[in-house]
Amino acid sequence: MGGSAHIDRFVIDHLPPADQQPDFVFDLPELVYPERLNAGVELLRRAIAAAGPDARALIDFDHEFSWSRVDAISDRMARVLIEEMGLAPGNRVLLHGPNSSWTVMAWFAILKAGGVVVATMPMLRATELATVIDKAQVSHALVYQMFNDVVAEACALAPSLTRVMDSAALQDAAQALPPGVSFTAVDTAADDPALIAFTSGTTGKPKGCVHFHRDILAMADTFGRHIVGLTRDDIVVGTPPIAFTFGLGGLVVFPAAVGAATAFPDRPGFDALAETAARCKATALLTAPTGYRALLKLVGDHDLSSLSTCVSAGEALPAATSDAWQEATGVRIIDGIGSTEMIHVFISARGDDIRPGATGKAVPGYEARIIDHAGQPLPPGETGRLAVRGPTGCRYLDDDRQAAYVQNGWNLTGDVYRLDEDGYFWFVARADDMIISSGYNIGAPEVENALLRHAAVAEAAVIGAPDEERGQICKAFVVLNSGIDPSPELRAELQTFVKGVIAPYKYPRALEFVESLPKTPTGKLQRFRLKETV
């Protein structure tokens, strides 16, 4: 069958040593893949087989593409990459663009051409892009035209990137190719690197996570198939950037695997998202908990009655948000924990199996356990570190943090969890967000969830602040709902309110009102920035 198709072996040569990689488990029939596999080709094959070549695939505000057109256009883009840009299998390709049909087709093209996709958030600045380009030794770039300047600036800082083509030039070059010439995608191995996904920077130092062609299929055949459950009749909308693996799965991979369609708003913002959902009669929605809270304010202005599947990830979903969304729409949100390292969600639940406040159970195909600091499994009811393994896992690109994430074959996600008697996993905190105050362990998210139950609170973040007497105290940063003014009286009211919701010792002894909270481009809270202020 042959080995790797990669001529450029940079990524392969910079994978972690074998003894630092996780154990991989393929215990479902659908996870047994052939040795030769190109994820771009296979996903489009599945889409056309499930929905037909003329079914809607990608919906922009002024244009639609069928699955056969996506296949044909991405073929032509792949030819341009190879014939005009000199792409060799294994070269890294920066993909810098907004959530749009163009970005999706360019993503398929890079895979078909044998390249390794390095997709980046549209909001990144030149220095941030240069860090990614340099780390992955990116040589090629496909850039949405409006981002030409920032990528040109990044090129000046990262000399490995020498071949850049923007969306307009790529379209012209693809259309100028001789008609009727067939294209055969590069015959990649299932375990050839297909993408490098960079973590979103919640800890301030992003890491490059390498995923193979089979990993892309695996996220569709686990969480996508068994929990999300899209069909060819679904129309998906959402906010997570395609450069973020939550968005890649939910807006590209899961729909393609079953022939569903994805609709893209014409501009950023939750108003535009709600408008698009109403106009296209979207049936599935993906966003973070902060997104659901923002959309709750818009439910009365837009008809969202077509929604039947709603998925949340990125951070723990508070029970208050889950309950409020169900009351407003009749749909219970599917929560899940995933990570860039694991490519997508590995603990979740849907339908009647959902318990608000709990993340869920291990997704079919994955195993999860709670372990102590020695790596030994803990019984139900005990709080400890979350360990996971399955068909995907962490492979950092040339990064000494690999040894901390993977131990004894298990992926240690950095989360503190509790497992109940029924097998449900309950989020406690990120390991570095545990607050120890006078000997008590306090999970920051629990205090945040309590604050969010108060009618005045729009958003809340809690950290441990140094305190001479107690070691640490809980300090809350609170964003108030529109029309509510901060005051010492409201501060005292919120502190008293928290004492009535959770154990009194957990209340925020310090509480600061702020206009906004620091977040990553994917909407994740950056607690480390708040910690820098105390």
Side-chain angles (χ1 to χ4, degrees):
M1 296 293 288
S4 172
H6 283 197
I7 296 171
D8 180 344
R9 295 181 58 87
F10 172 83
V11 180
I12 294 172
D13 291 342
H14 288 84
L15 290 172
D19 61 356
Q20 289 186 15
Q21 293 196 30
D23 295 335
F24 292 97
V25 180
F26 304 94
D27 60 359
L28 298 177
E30 54 267 35
L31 297 175
V32 180
Y33 300 111
E35 290 185 18
R36 312 306 299 181
L37 177 69
N38 185 299
V41 173
E42 173 61 15
L43 284 171
L44 290 172
R45 184 200 67 78
R46 290 190 189 188
I48 292 170
D54 299 326
R56 289 193 301 178
L58 305 174
I59 305 169
D60 283 330
F61 68 96
D62 62 349
H63 200 79
E64 294 183 1
F65 296 88
S66 67
W67 281 113
S68 60
R69 286 196 66 206
V70 172
D71 192 25
I73 292 171
S74 60
D75 271 357
R76 297 176 79 84
M77 288 179 168
R79 285 185 59 194
V80 172
L81 277 166
I82 294 170
E83 296 170 18
E84 299 193 24
M85 296 183 71
L87 182 78
N91 287 164
R92 277 72 60 214
V93 184
L94 184 77
L95 177 59
H96 194 63
N99 283 10
S100 66
S101 295
W102 177 85
T103 304
V104 175
M105 290 187 284
W107 183 85
F108 278 114
I110 296 167
L111 292 184
K112 287 181 174 183
V116 178
V117 181
V118 183
T120 43
M121 312 288 180
M123 293 173 63
L124 294 188
R125 300 294 183 256
T127 53
E128 295 167 313
L129 284 174
T131 298
V132 168
I133 294 165
D134 186 61
K135 178 72 175 179
Q137 286 296 286
V138 172
S139 55
H140 296 67
L142 299 181
V143 183
Y144 202 73
Q145 194 171 21
M146 65 185 294
F147 298 113
N148 278 349
D149 289 347
V150 70
V151 173
E153 189 179 342
C155 281
L157 301 171
S160 67
L161 179 54
T162 57
R163 281 155 282 190
V164 179
M165 187 174 286
D166 70 22
S167 52
L170 179 60
Q171 179 178 330
D172 291 344
Q175 290 177 344
L177 289 170
V181 178
S182 62
F183 172 76
T184 301
V186 173
D187 183 29
T188 47
D191 56 359
D192 269 336
L195 60 89
I196 303 171
F198 278 81
T199 57
S200 56
T202 54
T203 59
K205 191 177 180 183
K207 302 172 283 285
C209 306
V210 179
H211 295 294
F212 297 167
H213 283 266
R214 61 173 162 83
D215 299 329
I216 295 172
L217 272 297
M219 67 171 159
D221 294 332
T222 53
F223 180 63
R225 175 174 179 170
H226 293 278
I227 304 295
V228 180
L230 297 178
T231 73
R232 65 184 184 183
D233 298 319
D234 277 301
I235 299 173
V236 186
V237 295
T239 60
I242 290 169
F244 181 33
T245 53
F246 177 35
L248 177 64
L251 301 178
V252 182
V253 176
F254 299 169
V258 298
T262 301
F264 299 105
D266 62 344
R267 63 189 189 281
F270 292 104
D271 250 336
L273 178 67
E275 287 172 13
T276 302
R279 174 173 54 86
C280 298
K281 299 189 183 309
T283 58
L285 167 66
L286 295 94
T287 191
T290 52
Y292 284 104
R293 289 194 287 272
L295 287 170
L296 279 168
K297 302 173 184 177
L298 304 173
V299 168
D301 301 327
H302 303 278
D303 180 8
L304 302 181
S305 60
S306 58
L307 290 174
S308 58
T309 300
C310 295
V311 183
S312 175
E315 55 190 6
L317 176 68
T321 304
S322 178
D323 291 342
W325 184 259
Q326 185 181 41
E327 184 177 348
T329 66
V331 180
R332 178 63 78 181
I333 299 171
I334 297 171
D335 189 19
I337 179 175
S339 67
T340 309
E341 287 86 352
M342 300 295 293
I343 204 168
H344 218 278
V345 171
F346 46 79
I347 294 176
S348 186
R350 71 167 291 125
D352 293 340
D353 292 331
I354 294 173
R355 293 187 181 180
T359 306
K361 297 182 177 182
V363 168
Y366 288 91
E367 304 170 30
R369 58 170 56 169
I370 307 299
I371 62 173
D372 62 19
H373 286 287
Q376 296 303 306
L378 290 170
E382 295 289 325
T383 296
R385 297 184 297 169
L386 179 64
V388 187
R389 66 183 181 185
T392 63
C394 178
R395 306 180 197 90
Y396 287 141
L397 179 72
D398 190 23
D399 198 306
D400 57 13
R401 289 171 286 186
Q402 177 76 18
Y405 200 96
V406 176
Q407 296 179 18
N408 300 317
W410 291 79
N411 300 273
L412 305 187
T413 66
D415 299 282
V416 178
Y417 261 81
R418 173 177 58 84
L419 179 67
D420 69 18
E421 295 286 351
D422 297 324
Y424 281 81
F425 289 85
W426 296 76
F427 179 71
V428 176
R430 289 287 296 172
D432 52 4
D433 291 330
M434 287 296 290
I435 300 163
I436 303 175
S437 183
S438 296
Y440 290 101
N441 290 335
I442 303 169
E446 184 182 16
V447 186
E448 293 165 359
N449 293 344
L451 284 164
L452 286 169
R453 291 185 176 275
H454 193 284
V457 177
E459 293 185 89
V462 172
I463 63 169
D467 181 80
E468 287 188 10
E469 181 181 346
R470 299 174 181 274
Q472 285 182 311
I473 59 170
C474 285
K475 178 172 183 179
F477 296 83
V478 172
V479 179
L480 296 174
N481 280 312
S482 178
I484 298 175
D485 296 323
S487 67
E489 292 77 17
L490 181 55
R491 178 182 292 108
E493 179 183 332
L494 291 175
Q495 290 170 318
T496 301
F497 178 80
V498 171
K499 292 179 184 179
V501 176
I502 56 179
Y505 71 85
K506 299 177 182 179
Y507 88 97
R509 295 174 183 273
L511 192 151
E512 180 179 335
F513 295 110
V514 294
E515 292 293 324
S516 62
L517 298 174
K519 295 174 185 171
T520 70
T522 64
K524 288 185 181 181
L525 177 66
Q526 292 179 309
R527 283 195 183 84
F528 76 93
R529 295 201 182 277
L530 296 175
K531 292 175 183 177
E532 291 170 353
T533 68
V534 300

